[in-house]
Amino acid sequence: MPESTLTMSKEWKQLDAHSRKMSLPENHLKYLVNQSGRLETFSRKGAGLFFDFSRQRLDGAALQMLLKLSETRSLLPRFGRMMKGDHVNVTENRAVLHTACRSFSDKPVLDDGKDVMPEIRRVRNEIRQFADDVHSGKISGANGKQFTDVVVIGIGGSYLGAEFVATALQNNADKGIRLHFLANVDIDNFGAITARIEPSTTLWIVISKTYTTAETTANTLQAVEYITRHKLSPKNHMVTVTSQGSPGDDPKNPVLRTFHMFDYIGGRYSVTSAVGGAPLSLYLGYDRFEEFLKGAEEMDIHAATAPAQENLPLLAALISLWNINFLEYPAQGLIPYSSPLSKLAPHVQQLSMESNGKSVTVKGEPVGVSCGSIIFGEPGTNAQHSFFQLAHQGRPFPIDFIGVLKPFHGQYNTLSKGVTNHQELWANLMAQAQALAAGKDDAEPAKCFSGNRPSSTIVMDDLSPRNIGRLLSFYEAKTVFEAFIWGINPFDQYGVELGKVMAGDIRKAMAEKNKNPDYRFDNRDEIQTFYLEMLFK
Ligand code: F6P
């Protein structure tokens, strides 16, 4: 089926007509959630996660129509082709093999006829050895003291995934290493980190696939200057994670170690490659990183092989499409009831919005419907005391609630109002999802809750590395399945280029002014000139 004919398809038209039916008062969620067997019909278990979509504005017919659409859009065969090494990133003519990074199978994975698994295994082994050597003290700073701090320099996909996983697994960080992230070019980000570290026991990891990203280049120069000013050398205090042959892989600029990432690993899908491997193995130990990889692998296998009606990320993608295109919700909240998952929303924000914030199909034709969603979130219950007023009585948006059955610190069980903190947390999670769905009438209009606000609940047993891997891969596969329905390419990001080019032009003018104080910002528009003059005053 040509991609541009998506909205002309029989399945799409049926869904469109059905969505109008689902918007009738008799299909309000307050009625749907009370139907007997609702939870059983609209929930699934798979790869260690429980996915409850009983509070989505769906009925059995809508689900069947969505599943039919998934078949006509060949979601599972396309996912299989991605994992096999086909060049599904068509605009950049690249394979997309983040799934190979966490594969422990002995089967080859071919990119243009070459098995990528040996180089993936090589890098994993190099990282394991390096992390072990740092932990044992075999590799140390110049003066022989063990490393105590690791500063990760990198931005976007070379930062957000690692920060999510490190934060989620912070309670397992028993290697005596503190981890810091230097992403923003804002010098206050750099200054805040240097105020907390000791130069001689700090290791800097520069992560950049291209090694040309302006923010990362600027921060790396700051770090090199900082290292040398303290009479130390990047040869002992800096590691790079980058593409083979990039400027960060240049023997003329010697560093302690370079770990390779490959063309077929996209930034926002890269945390299971050396991008996450190097910092996370130092922070948590390699074995935990490998457990995390195994969780991701388990969800990949589920996504690739479970039938559509049992497939968690595929169902989540279909529900997301239903909410975006048929019920016309512009945003999606991600609310984990678990503080260590506080960086899930920033990670999925990039994963989803950079992947699916597109308007044309892989064939360059307009998609004809909105793609992507505005993703945002905060942990509950904090979110309740922040933006849930709008969630309940303002503009509605679907929410993914994420619950963790066993907290890491379950030993603290002082009771307040008869319950532990963890039970209080769960009482809130359950109450919010129900209040949003059911709503409440009141004689006073200001106290009315219209309800009919959809949500899903995802439950995991605990915050083990394996479960974090499963959750990560769940959102990756969901993102990819959504894109496959729309017929867009979720693996390029041309939308970030224009601003970068314009910044380059402004940078040039600033550099001129730095060289020559008499330089005038004449040949630009009034607004730009105003800000430039203000900055240089
Ligand atoms: O923001 C655009 C982007 O290209 C992301 O996709 C990427 O993850 C990030 O910049 C960093 O790129 P690099 O790893 O090449 O420094």
Side-chain angles (χ1 to χ4, degrees):
M1 172 167 43
E3 309 293 4
S4 56
T5 59
L6 171 66
T7 55
M8 302 301 288
S9 68
K10 188 173 82 213
E11 292 74 26
W12 194 273
K13 285 183 181 156
Q14 276 174 350
L15 279 161
D16 196 33
H18 194 69
S19 66
R20 284 193 287 278
K21 197 174 141 213
M22 290 308 294
S23 298
L24 295 174
E26 65 261 35
N27 284 321
H28 189 289
L29 269 175
K30 67 183 166 193
Y31 304 123
L32 299 187
V33 293
N34 280 324
Q35 287 169 350
S36 119
R38 175 84 189 168
L39 179 63
E40 206 190 327
T41 313
F42 296 97
S43 66
R44 301 285 185 275
K45 272 192 193 135
L49 298 188
F50 176 66
F51 179 47
D52 161 17
F53 50 101
S54 62
R55 294 191 182 102
Q56 292 289 345
R57 292 175 51 204
L58 281 173
D59 62 359
L63 185 58
Q64 286 317 312
M65 289 176 198
L66 286 165
L67 287 166
K68 183 78 200 127
L69 180 73
S70 86
E71 217 179 292
T72 61
R73 303 298 283 176
S74 309
L75 299 197
L76 286 171
R78 285 196 211 187
F79 199 83
R81 286 202 288 277
M82 176 189 86
M83 284 180 73
K84 247 176 63 247
D86 278 14
H87 282 205
V88 292
N89 179 353
V90 286
T91 47
E92 297 176 325
N93 188 21
R94 285 179 180 159
V96 174
L97 286 173
H98 51 279
T99 49
C101 285
R102 59 263 192 151
S103 169
F104 288 87
S105 140
D106 47 19
K107 288 206 189 104
V109 178
L110 303 180
D111 177 16
D112 278 335
K114 178 190 156 208
D115 183 10
V116 300
M117 290 313 297
E119 62 190 6
I120 287 176
R121 289 189 203 106
R122 167 181 62 83
V123 174
R124 272 190 220 146
N125 287 335
E126 286 169 2
I127 289 174
R128 179 204 294 267
Q129 191 59 57
F130 180 73
D132 287 352
D133 289 349
V134 168
H135 294 147
S136 70
K138 197 168 160 196
I139 296 179
S140 60
N143 58 11
K145 282 200 246 163
Q146 268 193 267
F147 287 118
T148 56
D149 291 81
V150 168
V151 182
V152 178
I153 302 179
I155 197 162
S158 292
Y159 151 57
L160 290 159
E163 187 192 45
F164 158 54
V165 179
T167 310
L169 298 179
Q170 60 190 273
N171 290 305
N172 297 284
D174 56 4
K175 301 291 172 197
I177 285 186
R178 288 178 292 267
L179 195 60
H180 314 264
F181 290 95
L182 176 53
N184 201 339
V185 72
D186 183 351
I187 198 64
D188 286 338
N189 194 173
F190 179 80
I193 291 173
T194 52
R196 296 200 300 269
I197 57 173
E198 155 60 36
S200 64
T201 58
T202 296
L203 180 69
W204 301 75
I205 308 184
V206 184
I207 305 182
S208 179
K209 184 173 176 178
T210 57
Y211 224 82
T212 56
T213 304
E215 294 89 336
T216 301
T217 304
N219 280 330
T220 304
L221 287 173
Q222 293 293 344
V224 170
E225 199 277 332
Y226 173 89
I227 292 168
T228 46
R229 181 157 36 91
H230 287 92
K231 312 221 175 324
L232 300 164
S233 161
K235 267 192 289 186
N236 305 103
H237 287 266
M238 193 170 263
V239 162
T240 59
V241 176
T242 190
S243 302
Q244 240 159 340
S246 89
D249 185 32
D250 181 351
K252 279 197 253 90
N253 301 317
V255 288
L256 180 56
R257 204 67 103 241
T258 293
F259 301 108
H260 290 140
M261 59 185 297
F262 305 99
D263 207 35
Y264 47 78
I265 309 294
R268 53 197 174 273
Y269 299 90
S270 67
V271 61
T272 51
S273 72
V275 167
L280 294 169
S281 298
L282 289 169
Y283 185 52
L284 306 165
Y286 177 83
D287 290 348
R288 292 197 181 99
F289 175 66
E290 194 165 291
E291 268 298 293
F292 158 72
L293 295 186
K294 287 185 173 156
E297 179 189 35
E298 197 182 328
M299 184 58 81
D300 292 343
I301 294 170
H302 170 83
T305 58
Q309 66 276 12
E310 298 299 327
N311 190 312
L312 268 63
L314 191 148
L315 288 166
L318 292 174
I319 291 166
S320 177
L321 177 101
W322 171 252
N323 283 335
I324 295 168
N325 293 136
F326 298 101
L327 303 182
E328 299 190 342
Y329 293 112
Q332 149 95 66
L334 273 190
I335 315 294
Y337 277 66
S338 169
S339 298
L341 298 182
S342 63
K343 296 294 178 185
L344 176 68
H347 169 62
V348 176
Q349 208 166 52
Q350 189 211 14
L351 172 66
S352 172
M353 293 169 82
E354 195 164 275
S355 295
N356 291 344
K358 313 272 165 74
S359 318
V360 295
T361 67
V362 287
K363 295 189 176 140
E365 293 159 348
V367 185
V369 292
S370 302
C371 300
S373 197
I374 299 159
I375 309 276
F376 70 104
E378 279 293 324
T381 64
N382 299 18
Q384 293 170 207
H385 297 272
S386 168
F387 52 82
F388 267 38
Q389 167 63 40
L390 185 134
H392 284 282
Q393 291 187 313
R395 297 183 64 186
F397 53 90
I399 292 180
D400 276 0
F401 289 103
I402 294 145
V404 178
L405 290 176
K406 287 184 223 92
F408 192 84
H409 292 293
Q411 75 273 26
Y412 300 111
N413 44 28
T414 305
L415 302 185
S416 168
K417 299 185 182 173
V419 297
T420 63
N421 283 39
H422 186 60
Q423 290 166 338
E424 179 70 30
L425 188 71
W426 265 88
N428 276 276
L429 188 167
M430 291 161 65
Q432 291 300 324
Q434 187 57 15
L436 287 163
K440 181 179 97 54
D441 289 333
D442 199 287
E444 284 183 59
K447 294 183 181 169
C448 278
F449 291 76
S450 58
N452 209 24
R453 291 158 190 257
S455 67
S456 296
T457 303
I458 297 162
V459 183
M460 49 202 238
D461 278 347
D462 57 23
L463 292 166
S464 63
R466 201 172 264 262
N467 279 331
I468 300 306
R470 290 162 168 159
L471 188 66
L472 176 105
S473 162
F474 167 83
Y475 277 107
E476 287 178 352
K478 175 195 171 193
T479 302
V480 169
F481 281 132
E482 282 177 294
F484 286 170
I485 308 172
W486 285 312
I488 59 177
N489 179 5
F491 308 115
D492 64 14
Q493 57 283 320
Y494 293 112
V496 300
E497 293 306 322
L498 179 61
K500 284 188 193 171
V501 173
M502 288 191 174
D505 175 51
I506 297 170
R507 184 188 307 128
K508 258 192 220 147
M510 290 173 166
E512 281 302 322
K513 185 80 171 171
N514 284 339
K515 274 194 284 182
N516 169 18
D518 296 330
Y519 179 81
R520 291 175 57 84
F521 300 114
D522 278 346
N523 52 351
R524 18 199 87 240
D525 69 40
E526 223 176 82
I527 306 173
Q528 281 196 15
T529 308
F530 169 81
Y531 286 110
L532 282 164
E533 283 175 355
M534 191 158 70
L535 187 68
F536 277 85
K537 217 182 235 164

PDB file of all heavy atoms in Angstrom, residues 279-301:
ATOM      1  N   PRO A 279      29.953   4.408  30.469  1.00  0.00           N
ATOM      2  CA  PRO A 279      29.671   5.024  31.770  1.00  0.00           C
ATOM      3  C   PRO A 279      28.931   4.099  32.740  1.00  0.00           C
ATOM      4  O   PRO A 279      29.230   4.091  33.938  1.00  0.00           O
ATOM      5  CB  PRO A 279      28.795   6.237  31.414  1.00  0.00           C
ATOM      6  CG  PRO A 279      28.273   5.987  30.048  1.00  0.00           C
ATOM      7  CD  PRO A 279      29.265   5.105  29.365  1.00  0.00           C
ATOM      8  N   LEU A 280      27.983   3.315  32.226  1.00  0.00           N
ATOM      9  CA  LEU A 280      27.173   2.495  33.136  1.00  0.00           C
ATOM     10  C   LEU A 280      27.983   1.355  33.738  1.00  0.00           C
ATOM     11  O   LEU A 280      27.782   0.986  34.899  1.00  0.00           O
ATOM     12  CB  LEU A 280      25.934   1.952  32.414  1.00  0.00           C
ATOM     13  CG  LEU A 280      24.925   3.028  31.979  1.00  0.00           C
ATOM     14  CD1 LEU A 280      23.861   2.446  31.050  1.00  0.00           C
ATOM     15  CD2 LEU A 280      24.261   3.691  33.190  1.00  0.00           C
ATOM     16  N   SER A 281      28.922   0.801  32.970  1.00  0.00           N
ATOM     17  CA  SER A 281      29.756  -0.275  33.529  1.00  0.00           C
ATOM     18  C   SER A 281      30.680   0.267  34.612  1.00  0.00           C
ATOM     19  O   SER A 281      30.962  -0.415  35.604  1.00  0.00           O
ATOM     20  CB  SER A 281      30.594  -0.940  32.434  1.00  0.00           C
ATOM     21  OG  SER A 281      29.739  -1.518  31.504  1.00  0.00           O
ATOM     22  N   LEU A 282      31.144   1.498  34.433  1.00  0.00           N
ATOM     23  CA  LEU A 282      31.986   2.086  35.479  1.00  0.00           C
ATOM     24  C   LEU A 282      31.149   2.379  36.727  1.00  0.00           C
ATOM     25  O   LEU A 282      31.578   2.137  37.852  1.00  0.00           O
ATOM     26  CB  LEU A 282      32.637   3.377  34.973  1.00  0.00           C
ATOM     27  CG  LEU A 282      33.739   3.165  33.923  1.00  0.00           C
ATOM     28  CD1 LEU A 282      34.134   4.491  33.289  1.00  0.00           C
ATOM     29  CD2 LEU A 282      34.967   2.500  34.566  1.00  0.00           C
ATOM     30  N   TYR A 283      29.952   2.857  36.512  1.00  0.00           N
ATOM     31  CA  TYR A 283      29.093   3.295  37.624  1.00  0.00           C
ATOM     32  C   TYR A 283      28.498   2.099  38.381  1.00  0.00           C
ATOM     33  O   TYR A 283      28.432   2.089  39.612  1.00  0.00           O
ATOM     34  CB  TYR A 283      27.990   4.163  37.027  1.00  0.00           C
ATOM     35  CG  TYR A 283      27.042   4.823  37.990  1.00  0.00           C
ATOM     36  CD1 TYR A 283      27.502   5.586  39.067  1.00  0.00           C
ATOM     37  CD2 TYR A 283      25.670   4.730  37.807  1.00  0.00           C
ATOM     38  CE1 TYR A 283      26.614   6.216  39.932  1.00  0.00           C
ATOM     39  CE2 TYR A 283      24.772   5.357  38.662  1.00  0.00           C
ATOM     40  CZ  TYR A 283      25.252   6.100  39.722  1.00  0.00           C
ATOM     41  OH  TYR A 283      24.368   6.725  40.571  1.00  0.00           O
ATOM     42  N   LEU A 284      28.077   1.081  37.612  1.00  0.00           N
ATOM     43  CA  LEU A 284      27.307  -0.024  38.209  1.00  0.00           C
ATOM     44  C   LEU A 284      28.054  -1.353  38.232  1.00  0.00           C
ATOM     45  O   LEU A 284      27.631  -2.289  38.916  1.00  0.00           O
ATOM     46  CB  LEU A 284      26.026  -0.267  37.394  1.00  0.00           C
ATOM     47  CG  LEU A 284      25.112   0.923  37.160  1.00  0.00           C
ATOM     48  CD1 LEU A 284      24.114   0.622  36.056  1.00  0.00           C
ATOM     49  CD2 LEU A 284      24.374   1.280  38.448  1.00  0.00           C
ATOM     50  N   GLY A 285      29.101  -1.456  37.427  1.00  0.00           N
ATOM     51  CA  GLY A 285      29.776  -2.737  37.213  1.00  0.00           C
ATOM     52  C   GLY A 285      29.261  -3.332  35.906  1.00  0.00           C
ATOM     53  O   GLY A 285      28.070  -3.206  35.590  1.00  0.00           O
ATOM     54  N   TYR A 286      30.162  -4.006  35.157  1.00  0.00           N
ATOM     55  CA  TYR A 286      29.763  -4.529  33.846  1.00  0.00           C
ATOM     56  C   TYR A 286      28.642  -5.551  33.948  1.00  0.00           C
ATOM     57  O   TYR A 286      27.743  -5.596  33.106  1.00  0.00           O
ATOM     58  CB  TYR A 286      30.984  -5.144  33.116  1.00  0.00           C
ATOM     59  CG  TYR A 286      30.554  -5.742  31.810  1.00  0.00           C
ATOM     60  CD1 TYR A 286      30.418  -4.944  30.681  1.00  0.00           C
ATOM     61  CD2 TYR A 286      30.199  -7.095  31.711  1.00  0.00           C
ATOM     62  CE1 TYR A 286      29.953  -5.466  29.489  1.00  0.00           C
ATOM     63  CE2 TYR A 286      29.726  -7.626  30.521  1.00  0.00           C
ATOM     64  CZ  TYR A 286      29.611  -6.799  29.424  1.00  0.00           C
ATOM     65  OH  TYR A 286      29.129  -7.315  28.247  1.00  0.00           O
ATOM     66  N   ASP A 287      28.660  -6.380  35.002  1.00  0.00           N
ATOM     67  CA  ASP A 287      27.649  -7.452  35.095  1.00  0.00           C
ATOM     68  C   ASP A 287      26.236  -6.878  35.141  1.00  0.00           C
ATOM     69  O   ASP A 287      25.308  -7.436  34.560  1.00  0.00           O
ATOM     70  CB  ASP A 287      27.896  -8.316  36.331  1.00  0.00           C
ATOM     71  CG  ASP A 287      29.152  -9.152  36.153  1.00  0.00           C
ATOM     72  OD1 ASP A 287      29.656  -9.221  35.008  1.00  0.00           O
ATOM     73  OD2 ASP A 287      29.634  -9.715  37.154  1.00  0.00           O
ATOM     74  N   ARG A 288      26.076  -5.768  35.827  1.00  0.00           N
ATOM     75  CA  ARG A 288      24.733  -5.152  35.879  1.00  0.00           C
ATOM     76  C   ARG A 288      24.357  -4.570  34.520  1.00  0.00           C
ATOM     77  O   ARG A 288      23.211  -4.622  34.102  1.00  0.00           O
ATOM     78  CB  ARG A 288      24.680  -4.080  36.969  1.00  0.00           C
ATOM     79  CG  ARG A 288      24.781  -4.662  38.362  1.00  0.00           C
ATOM     80  CD  ARG A 288      24.317  -3.658  39.399  1.00  0.00           C
ATOM     81  NE  ARG A 288      24.433  -4.234  40.733  1.00  0.00           N
ATOM     82  CZ  ARG A 288      25.442  -3.994  41.573  1.00  0.00           C
ATOM     83  NH1 ARG A 288      26.424  -3.175  41.235  1.00  0.00           N
ATOM     84  NH2 ARG A 288      25.457  -4.559  42.765  1.00  0.00           N
ATOM     85  N   PHE A 289      25.372  -4.005  33.845  1.00  0.00           N
ATOM     86  CA  PHE A 289      25.092  -3.483  32.492  1.00  0.00           C
ATOM     87  C   PHE A 289      24.619  -4.640  31.607  1.00  0.00           C
ATOM     88  O   PHE A 289      23.651  -4.505  30.852  1.00  0.00           O
ATOM     89  CB  PHE A 289      26.343  -2.802  31.917  1.00  0.00           C
ATOM     90  CG  PHE A 289      26.166  -2.342  30.501  1.00  0.00           C
ATOM     91  CD1 PHE A 289      25.273  -1.321  30.187  1.00  0.00           C
ATOM     92  CD2 PHE A 289      26.868  -2.945  29.458  1.00  0.00           C
ATOM     93  CE1 PHE A 289      25.076  -0.903  28.872  1.00  0.00           C
ATOM     94  CE2 PHE A 289      26.681  -2.537  28.143  1.00  0.00           C
ATOM     95  CZ  PHE A 289      25.780  -1.518  27.855  1.00  0.00           C
ATOM     96  N   GLU A 290      25.271  -5.790  31.742  1.00  0.00           N
ATOM     97  CA  GLU A 290      24.876  -6.934  30.908  1.00  0.00           C
ATOM     98  C   GLU A 290      23.463  -7.427  31.265  1.00  0.00           C
ATOM     99  O   GLU A 290      22.697  -7.812  30.391  1.00  0.00           O
ATOM    100  CB  GLU A 290      25.902  -8.062  31.042  1.00  0.00           C
ATOM    101  CG  GLU A 290      25.724  -9.101  29.976  1.00  0.00           C
ATOM    102  CD  GLU A 290      26.895 -10.052  29.831  1.00  0.00           C
ATOM    103  OE1 GLU A 290      27.973  -9.614  29.384  1.00  0.00           O
ATOM    104  OE2 GLU A 290      26.726 -11.235  30.165  1.00  0.00           O
ATOM    105  N   GLU A 291      23.127  -7.398  32.541  1.00  0.00           N
ATOM    106  CA  GLU A 291      21.750  -7.767  32.950  1.00  0.00           C
ATOM    107  C   GLU A 291      20.738  -6.828  32.296  1.00  0.00           C
ATOM    108  O   GLU A 291      19.666  -7.243  31.848  1.00  0.00           O
ATOM    109  CB  GLU A 291      21.614  -7.636  34.473  1.00  0.00           C
ATOM    110  CG  GLU A 291      21.909  -8.897  35.216  1.00  0.00           C
ATOM    111  CD  GLU A 291      20.936 -10.012  34.843  1.00  0.00           C
ATOM    112  OE1 GLU A 291      19.738  -9.892  35.166  1.00  0.00           O
ATOM    113  OE2 GLU A 291      21.362 -10.983  34.208  1.00  0.00           O
ATOM    114  N   PHE A 292      21.083  -5.547  32.281  1.00  0.00           N
ATOM    115  CA  PHE A 292      20.234  -4.538  31.632  1.00  0.00           C
ATOM    116  C   PHE A 292      20.084  -4.870  30.136  1.00  0.00           C
ATOM    117  O   PHE A 292      18.973  -4.848  29.584  1.00  0.00           O
ATOM    118  CB  PHE A 292      20.870  -3.155  31.879  1.00  0.00           C
ATOM    119  CG  PHE A 292      20.488  -2.081  30.917  1.00  0.00           C
ATOM    120  CD1 PHE A 292      19.216  -1.522  30.932  1.00  0.00           C
ATOM    121  CD2 PHE A 292      21.420  -1.596  29.988  1.00  0.00           C
ATOM    122  CE1 PHE A 292      18.871  -0.515  30.029  1.00  0.00           C
ATOM    123  CE2 PHE A 292      21.081  -0.596  29.089  1.00  0.00           C
ATOM    124  CZ  PHE A 292      19.794  -0.057  29.106  1.00  0.00           C
ATOM    125  N   LEU A 293      21.202  -5.233  29.494  1.00  0.00           N
ATOM    126  CA  LEU A 293      21.135  -5.610  28.076  1.00  0.00           C
ATOM    127  C   LEU A 293      20.212  -6.815  27.884  1.00  0.00           C
ATOM    128  O   LEU A 293      19.422  -6.865  26.937  1.00  0.00           O
ATOM    129  CB  LEU A 293      22.528  -5.975  27.537  1.00  0.00           C
ATOM    130  CG  LEU A 293      23.601  -4.896  27.481  1.00  0.00           C
ATOM    131  CD1 LEU A 293      24.858  -5.424  26.779  1.00  0.00           C
ATOM    132  CD2 LEU A 293      23.123  -3.646  26.755  1.00  0.00           C
ATOM    133  N   LYS A 294      20.299  -7.757  28.811  1.00  0.00           N
ATOM    134  CA  LYS A 294      19.494  -8.980  28.660  1.00  0.00           C
ATOM    135  C   LYS A 294      18.002  -8.686  28.800  1.00  0.00           C
ATOM    136  O   LYS A 294      17.170  -9.312  28.142  1.00  0.00           O
ATOM    137  CB  LYS A 294      19.961 -10.052  29.646  1.00  0.00           C
ATOM    138  CG  LYS A 294      21.294 -10.620  29.194  1.00  0.00           C
ATOM    139  CD  LYS A 294      21.797 -11.766  30.017  1.00  0.00           C
ATOM    140  CE  LYS A 294      23.045 -12.337  29.338  1.00  0.00           C
ATOM    141  NZ  LYS A 294      23.925 -13.049  30.247  1.00  0.00           N
ATOM    142  N   GLY A 295      17.663  -7.729  29.649  1.00  0.00           N
ATOM    143  CA  GLY A 295      16.257  -7.313  29.757  1.00  0.00           C
ATOM    144  C   GLY A 295      15.783  -6.692  28.446  1.00  0.00           C
ATOM    145  O   GLY A 295      14.682  -6.978  27.958  1.00  0.00           O
ATOM    146  N   ALA A 296      16.636  -5.858  27.866  1.00  0.00           N
ATOM    147  CA  ALA A 296      16.275  -5.216  26.592  1.00  0.00           C
ATOM    148  C   ALA A 296      16.136  -6.269  25.498  1.00  0.00           C
ATOM    149  O   ALA A 296      15.206  -6.232  24.688  1.00  0.00           O
ATOM    150  CB  ALA A 296      17.330  -4.176  26.213  1.00  0.00           C
ATOM    151  N   GLU A 297      17.059  -7.243  25.511  1.00  0.00           N
ATOM    152  CA  GLU A 297      16.993  -8.313  24.502  1.00  0.00           C
ATOM    153  C   GLU A 297      15.678  -9.090  24.628  1.00  0.00           C
ATOM    154  O   GLU A 297      15.032  -9.421  23.631  1.00  0.00           O
ATOM    155  CB  GLU A 297      18.181  -9.270  24.673  1.00  0.00           C
ATOM    156  CG  GLU A 297      18.156 -10.406  23.667  1.00  0.00           C
ATOM    157  CD  GLU A 297      19.198 -11.490  23.940  1.00  0.00           C
ATOM    158  OE1 GLU A 297      19.479 -11.774  25.124  1.00  0.00           O
ATOM    159  OE2 GLU A 297      19.711 -12.064  22.961  1.00  0.00           O
ATOM    160  N   GLU A 298      15.286  -9.349  25.879  1.00  0.00           N
ATOM    161  CA  GLU A 298      14.050 -10.111  26.107  1.00  0.00           C
ATOM    162  C   GLU A 298      12.847  -9.371  25.504  1.00  0.00           C
ATOM    163  O   GLU A 298      11.997  -9.971  24.850  1.00  0.00           O
ATOM    164  CB  GLU A 298      13.885 -10.272  27.623  1.00  0.00           C
ATOM    165  CG  GLU A 298      12.930 -11.340  28.030  1.00  0.00           C
ATOM    166  CD  GLU A 298      12.804 -11.384  29.558  1.00  0.00           C
ATOM    167  OE1 GLU A 298      13.792 -11.088  30.269  1.00  0.00           O
ATOM    168  OE2 GLU A 298      11.704 -11.700  30.021  1.00  0.00           O
ATOM    169  N   MET A 299      12.793  -8.061  25.721  1.00  0.00           N
ATOM    170  CA  MET A 299      11.672  -7.291  25.158  1.00  0.00           C
ATOM    171  C   MET A 299      11.772  -7.202  23.635  1.00  0.00           C
ATOM    172  O   MET A 299      10.749  -7.227  22.948  1.00  0.00           O
ATOM    173  CB  MET A 299      11.615  -5.890  25.787  1.00  0.00           C
ATOM    174  CG  MET A 299      10.443  -5.052  25.340  1.00  0.00           C
ATOM    175  SD  MET A 299       8.811  -5.782  25.660  1.00  0.00           S
ATOM    176  CE  MET A 299       8.536  -5.391  27.384  1.00  0.00           C
ATOM    177  N   ASP A 300      13.002  -7.133  23.102  1.00  0.00           N
ATOM    178  CA  ASP A 300      13.162  -7.130  21.631  1.00  0.00           C
ATOM    179  C   ASP A 300      12.567  -8.405  21.046  1.00  0.00           C
ATOM    180  O   ASP A 300      11.865  -8.365  20.025  1.00  0.00           O
ATOM    181  CB  ASP A 300      14.652  -7.112  21.226  1.00  0.00           C
ATOM    182  CG  ASP A 300      15.357  -5.814  21.562  1.00  0.00           C
ATOM    183  OD1 ASP A 300      14.672  -4.802  21.807  1.00  0.00           O
ATOM    184  OD2 ASP A 300      16.607  -5.824  21.584  1.00  0.00           O
ATOM    185  N   ILE A 301      12.884  -9.530  21.697  1.00  0.00           N
ATOM    186  CA  ILE A 301      12.399 -10.821  21.170  1.00  0.00           C
ATOM    187  C   ILE A 301      10.873 -10.864  21.257  1.00  0.00           C
ATOM    188  O   ILE A 301      10.189 -11.291  20.320  1.00  0.00           O
ATOM    189  CB  ILE A 301      13.062 -11.996  21.935  1.00  0.00           C
ATOM    190  CG1 ILE A 301      14.568 -12.011  21.625  1.00  0.00           C
ATOM    191  CG2 ILE A 301      12.418 -13.335  21.567  1.00  0.00           C
ATOM    192  CD1 ILE A 301      15.389 -12.953  22.483  1.00  0.00           C
TER     193      ILE A 301
END
